[in-house]
Amino acid sequence: MKRIVVLALIAAMALGMTACSSQKEETKAEPSQSTEAVLPETATEEEIIMTDDEGFVTEPVTFELSEKGEFKLGDYKNLKAVRYVVTVTDDDVDDYIDAIREENAEYIVVDRGAEQGDIVQVNMTGKVGDEVIYDYSEEVFDVVLGYEDFGSKFDEKLMGAKAGDELTFSISYDEDSYAGAPGETVDFAVTVNLVNEKKIPEIDDEFIASLGYKDEAEMKAAYRDIITQNNEENSNYELRETLFQSVIDNSEFTSYSKELYDAEKSDADATYSMYMEWYGAGTIEELYEMMGMTENDVEAEVINAVARKMVMNAIAEKEKIEVTDEEFNSHYSTLAEELGFESVDELKTEYGEEYLRQILLEEKIGDALIATATVTDEEFTYDESAEGDEFAVIEDEAAEGETEDIGFDDDEAFFVDDETEEEPKE
């Protein structure tokens, strides 16, 4: 699990994403072509379903997988884009400092009843009838009152509990409960071992000095710069992603690389297996239900990942974009240190040089797309009432649904494999 988490961190950091930003900045890409292809289990000339942004079926189409994949690259130099910028407020800086204070909190054992925010260390079991569904009889479980790991009613039962208390109670969970066992009544037996109170440091001279600053003004100025940089990196990352998706949507795919599909499908299966472990789902169907998705959504992700790789390789080939050894070592030497690796070689051994090079290559391609696009900066305002966050919108000069050829005759197309793209033969 740690490996997957760090892989995600490598991808995010390599693409300029930094997780420190206090702003919520998700992007809903809105390219000119908003349909997604959903691939069935079988390989070639199978009917797939086109869905709109809401997941509704629009029309059945036929496509195929082939050894290399065949497609006509859409316009990637004639794009227009909006990059949303975020102005850092005093509240943002205060929130950032509060998060750092949380990270530096101390936990002190107290001899009193548990209160909101305390961490209650327990041994416990939870049964549905005779079936044990939660078993922490041999290992301790830390219940953070207010986190509602087992629902709000469970936390309420522990309010006021002291070390040494033994509690038995039952909780009936609603069918749509986000915690516990939905639709079931769980009988809990809980032994309280100790109660920890969280002590968050005050913003005083000692705390400020521990962070390396001489006074509060210097600390806030430094953190404002960090947040600003993070927001800029997030904005550019989202801009690259929507540009990538626009090129994908503007390209015409006659077939997709079967080798790439098999590889992306394998990666997706591994990822969702990891999610099953994280969410405690017993089956993949249960996980999909918990995440509000279906198998078709996963297949759509796979197909889009294949299309992305084909488009990336094609642009890199045409523009002669590559990652030099010097660039690779310079970039990942810093990242390796930040992630706790002793050297770049150790990082390569753990995650594979090909994977790391692909991440850096995509960043360079994205920067090249930005350099040739007409980008307009607009202030981003998060609308809490909106169902989705509109962060970046992408348009292009081609008419909706049309594809512009770049350097090909009408009857020419790209043939793509994993590594290289060859111009088509007559």
Side-chain angles (χ1 to χ4, degrees):
M1 185 180 300
K2 178 183 176 184
R3 182 177 188 275
I4 299 294
V5 173
V6 177
L7 274 171
L9 180 59
I10 288 173
M13 295 179 72
L15 290 170
M17 283 283 286
T18 308
C20 300
S21 174
S22 63
Q23 293 291 325
K24 184 177 182 181
E25 300 175 302
E26 297 179 2
T27 295
K28 183 178 180 182
E30 292 191 352
S32 58
Q33 193 82 349
S34 62
T35 55
E36 294 180 331
V38 180
L39 184 72
E41 291 290 335
T42 51
T44 60
E45 292 191 354
E46 292 293 339
E47 189 175 82
I48 61 171
I49 301 299
M50 301 295 289
T51 63
D52 59 20
D53 288 338
E54 302 300 324
F56 297 110
V57 174
T58 57
E59 59 178 316
V61 297
T62 300
F63 87 96
E64 63 182 73
L65 295 177
S66 61
E67 181 179 355
K68 295 181 178 180
E70 179 182 346
F71 79 110
K72 190 174 292 186
L73 183 63
D75 188 358
Y76 61 89
K77 286 187 176 181
N78 201 19
L79 303 172
K80 293 180 180 180
V82 174
R83 173 171 47 205
Y84 287 90
V85 296
V86 181
T87 300
V88 179
T89 66
D90 291 342
D91 287 341
D92 296 331
V93 176
D94 291 340
D95 289 343
Y96 191 94
I97 294 172
D98 286 343
I100 294 175
R101 292 171 63 204
E102 287 278 350
E103 291 176 0
N104 287 272
E106 296 181 358
Y107 296 90
I108 302 170
V109 177
V110 293
D111 185 18
R112 59 164 173 75
E115 300 174 357
Q116 186 81 348
D118 286 346
I119 297 179
V120 184
Q121 186 188 94
V122 303
N123 289 107
M124 58 171 277
T125 58
K127 294 182 178 181
V128 175
D130 294 330
E131 180 185 0
V132 178
I133 63 171
Y134 303 119
D135 188 359
Y136 294 97
S137 56
E138 299 298 329
E139 59 177 318
V140 297
F141 186 89
D142 290 333
V143 180
V144 182
L145 296 185
Y147 279 19
E148 302 181 359
D149 289 327
F150 299 98
S152 60
K153 292 181 180 178
F154 184 92
D155 283 12
E156 290 171 5
K157 295 291 185 181
L158 267 62
M159 294 291 286
K162 297 181 179 180
D165 286 355
E166 295 184 359
L167 310 173
T168 57
F169 52 87
S170 299
I171 296 177
S172 296
Y173 293 94
D174 295 335
E175 288 286 349
D176 58 351
S177 174
Y178 64 88
E184 303 286 355
T185 296
V186 182
D187 301 318
F188 289 98
V190 180
T191 299
V192 178
N193 298 320
L194 54 86
V195 178
N196 284 301
E197 179 182 359
K198 180 170 25 175
K199 287 288 188 180
I200 299 175
E202 297 295 330
I203 303 176
D204 53 22
D205 291 343
E206 181 181 357
F207 176 69
I208 293 171
S210 72
L211 298 175
Y213 302 104
K214 65 180 181 181
D215 55 35
E216 186 172 354
E218 183 182 69
M219 176 183 69
K220 287 189 172 182
Y223 289 148
R224 183 180 294 273
D225 288 343
I226 291 173
I227 298 170
T228 299
Q229 180 181 350
N230 291 341
N231 287 343
E232 290 174 354
E233 290 172 348
N234 287 339
S235 295
N236 285 328
Y237 171 81
E238 299 294 349
L239 178 60
R240 284 193 293 265
E241 288 301 305
T242 48
L243 286 169
F244 290 156
Q245 190 61 48
S246 183
V247 180
I248 292 170
D249 291 335
N250 287 333
S251 300
E252 291 181 354
F253 292 84
T254 304
S255 63
Y256 296 85
S257 164
K258 186 177 187 308
E259 185 173 357
L260 282 177
Y261 172 79
D262 290 342
E264 295 295 341
K265 185 67 165 65
S266 177
D267 287 346
D269 289 344
T271 297
Y272 284 95
S273 293
M274 175 195 69
Y275 290 162
M276 285 179 61
E277 181 182 347
W278 282 4
Y279 285 96
T283 64
I284 192 66
E285 290 76 18
E286 182 181 348
L287 175 69
Y288 291 157
E289 184 175 354
M290 294 170 68
M291 298 181 71
M293 60 188 301
T294 67
E295 184 178 0
N296 282 345
D297 294 312
V298 178
E299 295 290 0
E301 291 176 7
V302 172
I303 277 295
N304 200 65
V306 173
R308 177 191 177 103
K309 183 70 73 66
M310 293 169 67
V311 164
M312 292 290 183
N313 289 342
I315 295 175
E317 177 75 10
K318 287 181 66 65
E319 298 297 326
K320 296 179 172 53
I321 299 173
E322 61 180 12
V323 176
T324 66
D325 291 341
E326 182 179 357
E327 289 172 330
F328 181 91
N329 290 323
S330 174
H331 179 85
Y332 284 112
S333 60
T334 301
L335 189 58
E337 182 177 351
E338 292 175 355
L339 294 175
F341 291 90
E342 294 184 359
S343 65
V344 175
D345 287 339
E346 185 177 339
L347 191 68
K348 289 193 295 186
T349 299
E350 183 69 18
Y351 302 112
E353 183 173 350
E354 181 180 355
Y355 171 81
L356 298 175
R357 282 187 179 276
Q358 182 66 29
I359 291 173
L360 197 50
L361 177 65
E362 290 189 8
E363 181 179 0
K364 293 188 67 175
I365 294 171
D367 288 341
L369 295 183
I370 293 174
T372 60
T374 301
V375 178
T376 304
D377 288 341
E378 291 186 9
E379 182 71 20
F380 169 76
T381 302
Y382 174 59
D383 182 4
E384 294 185 359
S385 65
E387 292 184 3
D389 298 334
E390 304 246 347
F391 186 77
V393 180
I394 178 67
E395 299 175 348
D396 59 71
E397 292 185 359
E400 183 172 345
E402 293 183 357
T403 301
E404 293 190 12
D405 297 339
I406 304 298
F408 299 112
D409 295 332
D410 289 342
D411 59 345
E412 290 183 326
F414 258 111
F415 294 87
V416 184
D417 59 21
D418 275 350
E419 300 296 336
T420 61
E421 299 75 42
E422 299 177 357
E423 294 200 7
K425 306 286 191 301
E426 292 293 342

